Amino acid sequence: MALKILIPWIPTLILLHLPVISPSNFTYPAVFNFGDSNSDTGGLAAGVAFPVGAPNGETYFNKPSGRFCDGRLIIDFLMDSMDLPYLNAYLDSIGAPSFRTGCNFATGGATILPANAASLSPFSFGFQVAQFIRFKARVLELLGKDKKLQKILPLEDYFRDGLYGFDVGQNDLDGAFYSKSEDQVAAFIPTILSEFEAGVERLYNEGARNLWIHGMGPLGCLARIIATFGKDASKLDQFGCVNSHNRAAKLFNSQLHSLCAKLGSQLPQVNVTYVDIFAIKLNLIANFSQLANLMKH
Ligand SMILES: *[C@@H]1O[C@H](CO)[C@@H](O)[C@H](O)[C@H]1NC(C)=O
Ligand SMILES: *[C@@H]1O[C@H](CO)[C@@H](O)[C@H](O)[C@H]1NC(C)=O
Ligand SMILES: *[C@@H]1O[C@H](CO)[C@@H](O)[C@H](O)[C@H]1NC(C)=O
């Protein structure tokens, strides 16, 4: 399917049910997002007072932004492309944040499978879904009592018409590699994805209809993974990334992609978009010098 590009450097979005998306009609009244540090806009910082180390927001936000990076995240560019303000974190209680155009349940370190004592974030995917369900119930209750709250809370329709974003699973595979062989990690993927499916179905039952699902990025290209697992050069691919982790990420993605197709065909009235983040990020890594030059001009 043809597709206009939303973000200049996104070459490949694989669309299942959506027709052509172009910036002119890529509009949703609100975004509800679930995930890990790839899309955390302040959740872990608020939830467990997690101090994100510098640089953290200096060059764009001029202050710590709660993001696990200095600049903006894909979710920020996505909001920009819809002319919506950046998402506030569900757990950020101070400063009377507005949730009118969405709410972010993502927290750095979150896994799909339930968190355990060693987890960085206690707010794993199932908890994020539970938080959303409570959020929605509270919003509807409050709007019923005081219409003025429409200024800061999403309208009832937004829960049906909004976009539900997902970027989660990276920490499940990342963590698994510390105690499992590559084959064992591969065998573990269906367990992870069935938990994901259960969460998405709960959201569907709550009225979610437009699903925007990110595949996993090239896990084996993370600096920490290369430092830990890539000491032996024979374990690295042509880009210097750890083969085993990238193979597992690709396997995860192919199963996630199949799950997206299944959800799209089994759930009535649902639109599922699977976004091939692996290809996008690998392109950034492999072609960084050309792309960096392009951005200078
Ligand atoms: C979005 O816009 C394109 C052209 O700009 C059009 O072909 C397509 O049908 C539109 N899609 C929807 C869902 O309105
Ligand atoms: C989503 O699906 C519904 C029903 O299948 C359809 O009417 C609607 O146009 C779709 N929305 C988008 C943005 O594609
Ligand atoms: C790097 O860029 C070239 C030329 O645009 C492209 O063919 C290639 O697929 C890119 N590499 C990756 C890993 O995406």
Side-chain angles (χ1 to χ4, degrees):
M1 266 183 235
L3 167 75
K4 282 231 194 117
I5 292 169
L6 297 173
I7 304 169
W9 35 263
I10 287 197
T12 355
L13 298 179
I14 298 175
L15 297 183
L16 296 172
H17 268 204
L18 284 178
V20 181
I21 298 184
S22 69
S24 60
N25 59 11
F26 186 73
T27 55
Y28 293 89
V31 175
F32 304 101
N33 186 67
F34 305 82
D36 55 29
S37 58
N38 286 300
S39 63
D40 181 356
T41 54
L44 196 67
V48 301
F50 186 82
V52 180
N56 177 234
E58 283 90 337
T59 54
Y60 185 80
F61 295 97
N62 299 317
K63 59 174 187 184
S65 69
R67 289 160 180 74
F68 285 73
C69 66
D70 189 25
R72 284 162 290 174
L73 298 166
I74 294 175
I75 185 83
D76 296 316
F77 290 99
L78 202 64
M79 298 307 284
D80 268 345
S81 74
M82 288 188 268
D83 285 328
L84 296 178
Y86 297 141
L87 286 179
N88 287 311
Y90 171 70
L91 293 166
D92 215 351
S93 59
I94 198 88
S98 170
F99 294 114
R100 179 168 168 96
T101 53
C103 184
N104 196 357
F105 300 87
T107 52
T111 47
I112 290 175
L113 292 176
N116 57 40
S119 305
L120 180 59
S121 166
F123 311 107
S124 41
F125 183 57
F127 280 123
Q128 295 180 21
V129 170
Q131 288 173 338
F132 167 83
I133 291 171
R134 178 172 158 82
F135 173 83
K136 184 186 164 199
R138 292 277 290 154
V139 165
L140 299 184
E141 182 194 328
L142 290 166
L143 287 179
K145 282 191 197 146
D146 183 356
K147 287 271 173 280
K148 285 203 292 291
L149 290 172
Q150 288 185 355
K151 274 195 221 122
I152 54 165
L153 298 179
L155 306 185
E156 184 168 3
D157 294 352
Y158 292 8
F159 290 104
R160 181 197 58 218
D161 299 335
L163 188 67
Y164 288 74
F166 305 88
D167 193 327
V168 68
Q170 183 178 304
N171 293 310
D172 294 84
L173 284 202
D174 183 345
F177 267 105
Y178 286 90
S179 62
K180 290 178 163 52
S181 69
E182 184 182 345
D183 285 348
Q184 288 170 330
V185 172
F188 189 45
I189 291 173
T191 308
I192 301 171
L193 284 174
S194 73
E195 181 82 9
F196 180 71
E197 180 178 6
V200 171
E201 281 174 1
R202 282 172 76 198
L203 292 171
Y204 176 83
N205 291 335
E206 287 289 324
R209 291 296 176 267
N210 302 303
L211 313 180
W212 178 265
I213 301 179
H214 283 191
M216 195 181 301
L219 181 62
C221 300
L222 297 183
R224 171 176 48 81
I225 303 288
I226 296 169
T228 312
F229 296 92
K231 294 196 178 87
D232 174 356
S234 69
K235 296 199 158 58
L236 303 177
D237 66 14
Q238 76 265 39
F239 308 118
C241 303
V242 179
N243 268 319
S244 54
H245 287 61
N246 276 357
R247 275 194 298 262
K250 280 191 197 161
L251 184 64
F252 178 91
N253 285 341
S254 76
Q255 293 181 23
L256 177 61
H257 189 218
S258 305
L259 174 59
C260 289
K262 181 181 151 198
L263 291 170
S265 62
Q266 285 183 355
L267 303 176
Q269 300 167 338
V270 84
N271 298 310
V272 187
T273 306
Y274 170 79
V275 185
D276 188 357
I277 294 290
F278 192 101
I280 295 165
K281 288 191 177 166
L282 195 65
N283 182 29
L284 284 174
I285 291 163
N287 290 317
F288 76 94
S289 46
Q290 285 146 268
L291 293 168
N293 273 333
L294 216 71
M295 287 176 73
K296 280 188 208 134
H297 301 305

